[in-house]
Amino acid sequence: MKVLLIGSGGREHALAWKLAQSPELTTLYAAPGNPGIAEHATLVPVNTEDNDAVVSFCKDNAIDFVVVGPEAPLVAGVADRLRAEGFAVFGPSAAAAQLEGSKGFTKDICARYDIPTGAYQRFNNGPKAKAYIREQGAPIVVKADGLAAGKGVTVAMTVDEALAAVDDCFEGAFGAAGAEVVVEAYLDGEEASFFCLSDGKHALALATAQDHKRVGEGDTGPNTGGMGAYSPAPVMTPEMVERTMKEIIEPTMRGMAESGYPFSGVFFAGLMITKKGPELIEYNVRFGDPECQVLMMRLKSDLLPILYATATGTLDKVTAEWSDDPALTVVMASKGYPGSYDKNTPIKSIPEAGEGAKVFHAGTALKDGALVATGGRVLNVTATGKAVGEAQARAYALLDKVEWDNGFCRRDIGWQAIKREKA
Ligand code: AMP
Ligand code: GLY
């Protein structure tokens, strides 16, 4: 099978690494890819923001299957265009991608299908949103409706903070994403991410993970795209997984199909495990980054037929086997991230990773033949172990051999699971 992978982050490096192991693969192309992905794929300079360019490349190269990594091309309709031309695609239609693209859309599906989530209201003007916040009191959560690169959410501990967040949204701090605002109840509990494939009719539960969104140790400081992750998430017991499937995933799949937007791709459910059980915080319609990296380390099955079955409506014919050993990844980021940071700083050396370990590239490039850091999140140092504590020790031992002066990381990735392991 000739496969095109769209994307250039650590998530796509992990997908490329895993796809490249498939006996069913003949050629793997990646657009635009990165120097890590280039170890497993032929990089092609296709403009992935131009759906016509993607379709032309697929026609010219007789591509059999397209795997879309990030959300932006999905929201822009790349999967619809490719499907209309007869290509098999892993990733939802633009209409189904509203599950990630519009928080209000998701909340309405939850309301209609009785899916547990925080009580909410949608607003298109400041005064009404503020009146609702004053009525509800704090803590309360204010969200820009659209895609705001993970920055459109304010978990407000005071009413004043929530009112200021409403002003930010309507004054354009998040551009068009803030033209509508969702105000929702604060959920108290432990967060977990749950990944489940859907072909529109069938669901295949994958695995669970926990991200570390804050930049600082002890979960402090500003939010980021994720500073590290591990899988599985111990809070997701078999009972919680079963409840999540029944109470959240299955009704969403049914609701999407009945609304005329059958969902094909991966549900990435951000959950809060509250005293009542799993509640939905949000959906993403692609794999998490860096959660994908730890999922791929634990997946024993061939990824390619599983993603292809998702795209072709035959998910009931495949299964996914997982290693019991946890995997953990630490993100190395450029100093200053998530604020401003220097670009093109030299990465002098990346150590060889042995069995059960891997350094994934996220924001790297080759400049005059030398490896440089170009992004905020740059490398994902990943390892497995018999327990999260062992995976963590192995990941940091490998990370300490990376020679990159402008890099930093959190030293406490996995702390919640390790605390449990020690208890
Ligand atoms: P999101 O961009 O929707 O993932 O939100 C970012 C983060 O805000 C989440 O990972 C949670 O930590 C937090 N958050 C979002 N919604 C809520 C909520 N209703 N209650 C508590 N925390 C929330
Ligand atoms: N790590 C969170 C995300 O991919 O959205």
Side-chain angles (χ1 to χ4, degrees), residues 8-74:
S8 63
R11 164 183 49 212
E12 288 77 24
H13 188 185
L15 292 172
W17 169 72
K18 197 69 193 160
L19 288 170
Q21 295 168 28
S22 174
E24 292 184 25
L25 184 81
T26 48
T27 314
L28 181 61
Y29 296 100
N34 69 34
I37 296 172
E39 292 165 23
H40 318 288
T42 305
L43 304 194
V44 289
V46 177
N47 179 1
T48 56
E49 287 171 20
D50 178 352
N51 292 346
D52 290 334
V54 174
V55 168
S56 297
F57 176 83
C58 292
K59 283 185 177 166
D60 293 347
N61 293 279
I63 296 297
D64 300 298
F65 184 37
V66 182
V67 177
V68 185
E71 65 277 17
L74 296 168

